[in-house]
Amino acid sequence: IKYKPISSYPSIIRDISIFVNKEIKNREIVKLIKINGGKYLNDVRLFDFYIKDDDKKNNSLAYSLHFSSNKFTLKDKDIDPIINKILKLLKNKLNAKQR
């Protein structure tokens, strides 16, 4: 059993929503986000999954990304570049479109 202390600093939660080809699995997206989320990313959760009737190729997915630090309070300027990097990678590697 490993003990990880709870941070005394507030966390930041950001949501991202994307359209992605139905053949791409959730685990692929989560793995890509976690690998590129940096040291402040603690958790990634799929919280919305939607299939449009008129769009037979794509799924609409929404993820909640939880960021925190044990050393200081994170600010938007710390997280915004990470979110932009993740969205760019999802677009380039999985042809995802932000919604």
Side-chain angles (χ1 to χ4, degrees):
I1 297 174
K2 290 185 178 183
Y3 169 74
K4 185 177 178 184
I6 297 172
S7 176
S8 59
Y9 299 98
S11 62
I12 292 179
I13 300 172
R14 291 286 181 87
D15 295 340
I16 60 171
S17 301
I18 58 173
F19 288 112
V20 68
N21 188 297
K22 287 183 179 182
E23 294 181 12
I24 297 173
K25 305 291 183 204
N26 175 59
R27 68 178 171 266
E28 294 176 59
I29 298 167
V30 170
K31 182 179 177 181
L32 188 64
I33 292 171
K34 285 183 176 180
I35 288 172
N36 295 284
K39 62 184 176 183
Y40 303 124
L41 180 64
N42 294 323
D43 193 25
V44 178
R45 293 185 186 184
L46 175 67
F47 72 87
D48 187 35
F49 175 79
Y50 179 71
I51 301 172
K52 289 176 68 173
D53 292 333
D54 61 343
D55 189 354
K56 303 295 182 196
K57 292 183 181 180
N58 297 307
N59 288 331
S60 175
L61 306 171
Y63 293 89
S64 182
L65 285 64
H66 298 246
F67 297 89
S68 68
S69 170
N70 290 329
K71 298 181 180 176
F72 61 94
T73 299
L74 294 172
K75 296 183 175 33
D76 288 338
K77 68 178 183 175
D78 301 315
I79 302 305
D80 287 345
I82 297 169
I83 295 294
N84 291 333
K85 175 184 173 185
I86 289 169
L87 289 170
K88 185 176 181 180
L89 285 166
L90 290 172
K91 179 181 177 184
N92 292 338
K93 293 197 180 238
L94 304 178
N95 201 27
K97 294 176 179 64
Q98 188 177 7
R99 64 172 171 112

